[in-house]
Short mmCIF file of all heavy atoms in Angstrom, two decimals:
data_model
loop_
_atom_site.label_atom_id
_atom_site.label_comp_id
_atom_site.label_asym_id
_atom_site.label_seq_id
_atom_site.Cartn_x
_atom_site.Cartn_y
_atom_site.Cartn_z
N ILE D 225 3.80 4.86 -9.97
CA ILE D 225 3.06 4.07 -8.99
C ILE D 225 1.92 3.37 -9.72
O ILE D 225 1.10 4.03 -10.36
CB ILE D 225 2.47 4.97 -7.88
CG1 ILE D 225 3.57 5.79 -7.20
CG2 ILE D 225 1.70 4.14 -6.86
CD1 ILE D 225 3.04 6.98 -6.42
N LEU D 226 1.87 2.05 -9.64
CA LEU D 226 0.82 1.29 -10.31
C LEU D 226 -0.14 0.71 -9.29
O LEU D 226 0.23 -0.12 -8.46
CB LEU D 226 1.44 0.14 -11.13
CG LEU D 226 2.26 0.55 -12.34
CD1 LEU D 226 2.80 -0.71 -13.02
CD2 LEU D 226 1.46 1.37 -13.32
N PHE D 227 -1.39 1.18 -9.34
CA PHE D 227 -2.46 0.59 -8.53
C PHE D 227 -3.15 -0.47 -9.37
O PHE D 227 -3.54 -0.20 -10.51
CB PHE D 227 -3.47 1.65 -8.11
CG PHE D 227 -2.98 2.60 -7.05
CD1 PHE D 227 -2.52 3.85 -7.39
CD2 PHE D 227 -2.96 2.21 -5.73
CE1 PHE D 227 -2.05 4.73 -6.42
CE2 PHE D 227 -2.49 3.08 -4.74
CZ PHE D 227 -2.04 4.34 -5.09
N LYS D 228 -3.31 -1.67 -8.83
CA LYS D 228 -3.95 -2.74 -9.58
C LYS D 228 -5.47 -2.67 -9.54
O LYS D 228 -6.15 -3.58 -9.99
CB LYS D 228 -3.46 -4.10 -9.08
CG LYS D 228 -1.99 -4.35 -9.36
CD LYS D 228 -1.61 -5.76 -9.02
CE LYS D 228 -0.15 -6.04 -9.31
NZ LYS D 228 0.23 -7.41 -8.94
N GLY D 229 -6.00 -1.61 -9.00
CA GLY D 229 -7.45 -1.39 -8.96
C GLY D 229 -7.76 -0.20 -8.09
O GLY D 229 -6.99 0.14 -7.18
N SER D 230 -8.89 0.47 -8.36
CA SER D 230 -9.24 1.63 -7.54
C SER D 230 -9.60 1.22 -6.11
O SER D 230 -9.55 2.04 -5.20
CB SER D 230 -10.41 2.39 -8.18
OG SER D 230 -11.51 1.53 -8.44
N ASN D 231 -9.93 -0.07 -5.90
CA ASN D 231 -10.18 -0.54 -4.54
C ASN D 231 -8.92 -0.42 -3.67
O ASN D 231 -9.01 -0.19 -2.46
CB ASN D 231 -10.68 -1.98 -4.55
CG ASN D 231 -9.82 -2.92 -5.36
OD1 ASN D 231 -9.26 -2.52 -6.38
ND2 ASN D 231 -9.69 -4.16 -4.94
N PHE D 232 -7.76 -0.53 -4.29
CA PHE D 232 -6.51 -0.41 -3.52
C PHE D 232 -6.16 1.05 -3.22
O PHE D 232 -5.36 1.32 -2.32
CB PHE D 232 -5.37 -1.12 -4.24
CG PHE D 232 -5.64 -2.60 -4.44
CD1 PHE D 232 -5.65 -3.15 -5.71
CD2 PHE D 232 -5.91 -3.42 -3.36
CE1 PHE D 232 -5.91 -4.50 -5.89
CE2 PHE D 232 -6.18 -4.77 -3.53
CZ PHE D 232 -6.18 -5.31 -4.80
N ILE D 233 -6.74 1.97 -3.99
CA ILE D 233 -6.60 3.39 -3.63
C ILE D 233 -7.31 3.63 -2.31
O ILE D 233 -6.76 4.26 -1.39
CB ILE D 233 -7.19 4.28 -4.74
CG1 ILE D 233 -6.34 4.19 -6.00
CG2 ILE D 233 -7.31 5.73 -4.27
CD1 ILE D 233 -6.88 4.97 -7.18
N ASP D 234 -8.53 3.12 -2.18
CA ASP D 234 -9.26 3.25 -0.92
C ASP D 234 -8.49 2.58 0.22
O ASP D 234 -8.36 3.14 1.32
CB ASP D 234 -10.64 2.60 -1.03
CG ASP D 234 -11.68 3.54 -1.63
OD1 ASP D 234 -11.29 4.64 -2.08
OD2 ASP D 234 -12.87 3.18 -1.65
N ALA D 235 -8.00 1.38 -0.03
CA ALA D 235 -7.31 0.62 1.02
C ALA D 235 -6.05 1.33 1.49
O ALA D 235 -5.81 1.45 2.70
CB ALA D 235 -6.98 -0.78 0.52
N LEU D 236 -5.22 1.81 0.56
CA LEU D 236 -3.97 2.46 0.96
C LEU D 236 -4.23 3.78 1.69
O LEU D 236 -3.45 4.16 2.56
CB LEU D 236 -3.09 2.71 -0.28
CG LEU D 236 -1.65 3.15 0.00
CD1 LEU D 236 -0.91 2.12 0.83
CD2 LEU D 236 -0.89 3.41 -1.30
N SER D 237 -5.32 4.45 1.35
CA SER D 237 -5.63 5.71 2.02
C SER D 237 -5.95 5.51 3.50
O SER D 237 -5.87 6.45 4.30
CB SER D 237 -6.80 6.41 1.33
OG SER D 237 -8.02 5.73 1.56
N GLU D 238 -6.34 4.28 3.88
CA GLU D 238 -6.71 3.98 5.27
C GLU D 238 -5.54 3.41 6.08
O GLU D 238 -5.68 3.17 7.28
CB GLU D 238 -7.86 2.96 5.29
CG GLU D 238 -9.12 3.41 4.57
CD GLU D 238 -9.75 4.62 5.23
OE1 GLU D 238 -9.67 4.72 6.47
OE2 GLU D 238 -10.31 5.47 4.51
N VAL D 239 -4.39 3.21 5.45
CA VAL D 239 -3.26 2.56 6.12
C VAL D 239 -2.70 3.44 7.24
O VAL D 239 -2.43 4.63 7.03
CB VAL D 239 -2.14 2.22 5.10
CG1 VAL D 239 -0.82 1.93 5.79
CG2 VAL D 239 -2.57 1.03 4.25
N ASP D 240 -2.55 2.85 8.43
CA ASP D 240 -1.92 3.57 9.54
C ASP D 240 -0.70 2.83 10.09
O ASP D 240 -0.01 3.31 10.97
CB ASP D 240 -2.91 3.84 10.66
CG ASP D 240 -3.52 2.56 11.24
OD1 ASP D 240 -3.24 1.47 10.70
OD2 ASP D 240 -4.28 2.66 12.22
N THR D 241 -0.45 1.62 9.55
CA THR D 241 0.72 0.83 9.94
C THR D 241 1.42 0.33 8.68
O THR D 241 0.78 -0.26 7.81
CB THR D 241 0.31 -0.37 10.81
OG1 THR D 241 -0.35 0.10 11.99
CG2 THR D 241 1.53 -1.20 11.22
N VAL D 242 2.73 0.58 8.61
CA VAL D 242 3.51 0.12 7.45
C VAL D 242 4.61 -0.81 7.93
O VAL D 242 5.36 -0.48 8.86
CB VAL D 242 4.12 1.30 6.68
CG1 VAL D 242 5.06 0.79 5.59
CG2 VAL D 242 3.04 2.17 6.07
N VAL D 243 4.68 -1.97 7.31
CA VAL D 243 5.68 -2.98 7.65
C VAL D 243 6.64 -3.12 6.46
O VAL D 243 6.19 -3.28 5.32
CB VAL D 243 5.02 -4.34 7.94
CG1 VAL D 243 6.08 -5.38 8.31
CG2 VAL D 243 4.00 -4.20 9.07
N PHE D 244 7.93 -3.04 6.75
CA PHE D 244 8.94 -3.12 5.69
C PHE D 244 9.73 -4.42 5.79
O PHE D 244 10.06 -4.88 6.88
CB PHE D 244 9.95 -1.98 5.81
CG PHE D 244 9.38 -0.61 5.52
CD1 PHE D 244 8.97 0.21 6.55
CD2 PHE D 244 9.27 -0.15 4.21
CE1 PHE D 244 8.46 1.47 6.30
CE2 PHE D 244 8.76 1.11 3.95
CZ PHE D 244 8.35 1.92 5.00
N ASP D 245 10.03 -4.99 4.64
CA ASP D 245 11.13 -5.94 4.55
C ASP D 245 12.41 -5.11 4.61
O ASP D 245 12.37 -3.89 4.43
CB ASP D 245 11.03 -6.70 3.22
CG ASP D 245 12.21 -7.63 3.00
OD1 ASP D 245 12.58 -8.34 3.95
OD2 ASP D 245 12.77 -7.61 1.89
N LYS D 246 13.54 -5.75 4.88
CA LYS D 246 14.78 -4.97 4.99
C LYS D 246 15.58 -4.99 3.68
O LYS D 246 15.73 -3.97 3.02
CB LYS D 246 15.65 -5.50 6.13
CG LYS D 246 16.98 -4.74 6.29
CD LYS D 246 17.85 -5.37 7.35
CE LYS D 246 18.47 -6.66 6.89
NZ LYS D 246 19.48 -6.47 5.79
N THR D 247 16.06 -6.15 3.31
CA THR D 247 16.98 -6.25 2.18
C THR D 247 16.30 -5.94 0.86
O THR D 247 15.30 -6.57 0.51
CB THR D 247 17.60 -7.66 2.13
OG1 THR D 247 18.20 -7.96 3.37
CG2 THR D 247 18.64 -7.74 1.03
N GLY D 248 16.81 -4.97 0.14
CA GLY D 248 16.25 -4.58 -1.14
C GLY D 248 15.09 -3.61 -1.04
O GLY D 248 14.65 -3.07 -2.04
#
């Protein structure tokens, strides 16, 4: 898992909605 910055660690920890593409 590659985080492009520690700011995205904070951001992902707050996620409560996940949206997926389908194909691939």
Side-chain angles (χ1 to χ4, degrees):
I225 304 163
L226 292 179
F227 287 100
K228 293 188 179 178
S230 53
N231 51 325
F232 299 122
I233 292 176
D234 275 8
L236 190 59
S237 71
E238 301 296 326
V239 163
D240 59 354
T241 300
V242 174
V243 181
F244 292 97
D245 176 45
K246 180 185 74 67
T247 305

